[in-house]
Amino acid sequence: MIPYKHEPFTDFSTEENNKAYLEALKKVEGYLGEEYPLIIGGERITTNDKIVSYNPANKEEVIGSVSKADKELAEKAMQVADETFNTWKKVKPEIRADVLFKAAAIIRRRKHEFSALLSKEAGKPWNEADADTAEAIDFLEYYGRQMLRLKDGQPVESRPGEFNRYDYIPLGVGVIISPWNFPFAIMAGTAVAAVVTGNTVLLKPASTTPVVAYKFVEILEEAGLPAGVVNYIPGSGAEVGDYLVDHPKTRFISFTGSRDVGLRIYERASKLNDGQIWLKRVIAEMGGKDTIVVDKEADLELAAQSIVKSAFGFSGQKCSACSRAVIVEDVYDEVLARVEELTKGLSVGDPTDVSNFTGPVIDAAAFKKITNYIEIGKGEGRIVAGGTADDSKGFFVNPTVIADVTPEARVMKEEIFGPVVAIAKAKDFDEALAIANNTEYGLTGAVITNNRMNQEKAREDFHVGNLYFNRGCTGAIVGYQPFGGFNMSGTDSKAGGPDYLQLHMQAKTTSETL
Ligand SMILES: NC(=O)c1ccc[n+]([C@@H]2O[C@H](COP(=O)([O-])OP(=O)(O)OC[C@H]3O[C@@H](n4cnc5c(N)ncnc54)[C@H](O)[C@@H]3O)[C@@H](O)[C@H]2O)c1
Ligand SMILES: N[C@@H](CCC=O)C(=O)O
């Protein structure tokens, strides 16, 4: 087994890679507008009711029409997944892992096609789409290897005359509910973590990005995954989501998405339903209000670059995005001026054009929410860049910097999930840390400092699941920076980390008297 190493990012400055991506884009454009069925137990099921996926950069362009599950079809999928669990759980972990490795190899061969589809369906610029695809490959490679490490359980002690073992066994049927912002990596990572540990899955992708999920399920089939292990059932969160979360046969729910939906799932999953004989497990990865703190002893150019890249990469639509910066007063004006200058230099437009730094936001609802927050921000601070938007063709919001806000401002406390960063001044490093912690979330954060004592203070006191020093706060790599947050950011499940797979299994102790 080759040791795990993360998938390298593509260098699009070379002509060869540039050409490869454009060819892949042509291929994707060749299948836009196609129809996709549900997949339940390997059977393709077409419904009259559809979810239509549009290009957020061009509202007229249909990416695909996907059949839509209702409660009846969700029930059918549950029966199939429950039945298939009896056989899949007996398949050796090595064979389950091999399916993941094979899937990774297939995706690697079609890497740019997947990335081009992400540019079209989610509005990702080339580099962001490439990173999403690379992360999907990483999850497959990493979780496959993790399963091989866990397949014989963990060592425990035995006394003379006794033989004790500690093994992991699968849980049952898992409901995987994924978001649109990492429509490939998070969707695939959460699904295969459940599968490689011996569970069967009902996969409900986000309604704005269902096509990439369909293509992934096809890859799993090609890689040899038996029918019924992953069942593809796009549908309304409120209808299919609630139904499956409440279902007595649901053993666990792996959710990634917003705080409010996460809380709803957490609460509903805690209720016992007729015929249910277990406590459901919930893995919930939720929102963030992530801060970059800039100390007075710091590389100020690095600080400004880190803020701009973390705030505006993929239009700020990352749970890890820098949506607030807290700068110590001695360097506030200088850093802010550079952030303003860099932000004004960013180009916004069609993400399939490699010269654009960023593309649209995902849909009309996001556009409305973000522009509403910009209006709120105008009353709470000073707009120094952006503040404008245009939804005539696609949902474009210009990167917006709101300076001089107070720590209690709404734009400093609520997740906006768009290209908007609020900037506040602190009198010293301690106050900056206190402001950074003044949120109900606790996902990512970064500190830009050359002061070792302040760095160590932040290591202890900055209460976030992923803390970075002298870099931005986005871009965790599977197996290198396990990802997940504290407080209202979720259950700190640490995707891409050494403890993640165990969340999908239960440990069984056996003790034999010799
Ligand atoms: N912490 C993380 O790792 C992480 C990663 C990515 C995104 N996010 C968060 O996700 C959010 C953006 O994603 P989104 O807009 O897709 O989130 P969302 O909560 O609106 O939707 C997430 C998923 O939940 C489904 N859903 C909606 N209502 C449901 C219900 N009642 N029952 C079950 N499922 C339901 C949706 O259809 C979708 O598939 C942001 O808040 C972001 O911070 C967190
Ligand atoms: N894991 C990603 C964020 C995922 C949420 O949107 C990062 O580290 O930037």
Side-chain angles (χ1 to χ4, degrees), residues 219-262:
I219 299 268
L220 290 176
E221 290 178 330
E222 190 184 336
L225 192 74
V229 177
V230 172
N231 300 280
Y232 170 78
I233 47 162
S236 132
E239 188 187 356
V240 169
D242 279 353
Y243 183 76
L244 291 174
V245 167
D246 295 347
H247 203 289
K249 284 189 176 156
T250 294
R251 183 64 183 82
F252 68 100
I253 299 139
S254 176
F255 166 81
T256 311
S258 62
R259 168 197 184 279
D260 291 354
V261 175

Side-chain angles (χ1 to χ4, degrees), residues 403-483:
D404 309 341
V405 296
T406 68
E408 295 305 320
R410 284 185 65 190
V411 292
M412 277 290 279
K413 303 206 88 166
E414 295 168 20
E415 188 185 45
I416 300 171
F417 218 59
V420 181
V421 63
I423 307 208
K425 189 186 284 185
K427 72 175 182 328
D428 54 25
F429 188 77
D430 286 354
E431 187 180 83
L433 265 193
I435 297 171
N437 280 330
N438 180 21
T439 154
E440 64 175 3
Y441 295 105
L443 190 48
T444 78
V447 175
I448 313 294
T449 184
N450 291 328
N451 181 319
R452 172 58 66 175
M453 291 305 117
N454 282 349
Q455 178 172 317
E456 292 314 312
K457 193 181 284 180
R459 199 191 297 276
E460 259 184 64
D461 296 338
F462 196 162
H463 197 58
V464 291
N466 283 60
L467 179 61
Y468 303 101
F469 298 117
N470 293 318
R471 53 159 281 185
C473 57
T474 61
I477 303 283
V478 171
Y480 295 64
Q481 291 114 11
F483 190 78

Side-chain angles (χ1 to χ4, degrees), residues 177-178 180-181 204 237 242 256-258 264 286-287 319 415 417:
I177 302 174
S178 54
W180 53 265
N181 73 325
K204 200 215 80 58
D242 279 353
T256 311
S258 62
R264 180 186 178 89
M286 292 144 58
C319 54
E415 188 185 45
F417 218 59

Side-chain angles (χ1 to χ4, degrees), residues 92-258:
K92 285 194 340 192
E94 293 87 336
I95 297 174
R96 301 197 301 248
D98 280 348
V99 174
L100 272 61
F101 299 139
K102 174 79 179 172
I106 300 169
I107 295 167
R108 206 174 270 115
R109 288 196 284 275
R110 292 173 53 189
K111 194 171 176 179
H112 297 315
E113 181 195 337
F114 271 98
S115 301
L117 178 57
L118 291 167
S119 292
K120 283 283 186 185
E121 191 169 37
K124 293 209 169 198
W126 293 27
N127 61 336
E128 298 281 352
D130 181 64
D132 197 335
T133 306
E135 192 174 0
I137 295 170
D138 287 347
F139 278 130
L140 289 155
E141 297 281 7
Y142 182 76
Y143 290 148
R145 285 167 176 76
Q146 284 297 312
M147 191 63 230
L148 297 180
R149 284 178 58 178
L150 295 172
K151 70 183 171 52
D152 298 319
Q154 305 269 18
V156 288
E157 304 303 326
S158 293
R159 293 169 297 189
E162 153 186 276
F163 174 48
N164 299 326
R165 281 182 56 169
Y166 185 80
D167 292 297
Y168 293 112
I169 62 169
L171 289 172
V173 178
V175 178
I176 309 294
I177 302 174
S178 54
W180 53 265
N181 73 325
F182 278 78
F184 194 11
I186 293 181
M187 176 275 306
T190 49
V192 301
V195 163
V196 78
T197 43
N199 306 287
T200 52
V201 158
L202 303 178
L203 174 61
K204 200 215 80 58
S207 297
T208 37
T209 54
V211 175
V212 64
Y214 182 89
K215 298 272 175 198
F216 175 63
V217 176
E218 280 187 329
I219 299 268
L220 290 176
E221 290 178 330
E222 190 184 336
L225 192 74
V229 177
V230 172
N231 300 280
Y232 170 78
I233 47 162
S236 132
E239 188 187 356
V240 169
D242 279 353
Y243 183 76
L244 291 174
V245 167
D246 295 347
H247 203 289
K249 284 189 176 156
T250 294
R251 183 64 183 82
F252 68 100
I253 299 139
S254 176
F255 166 81
T256 311
S258 62

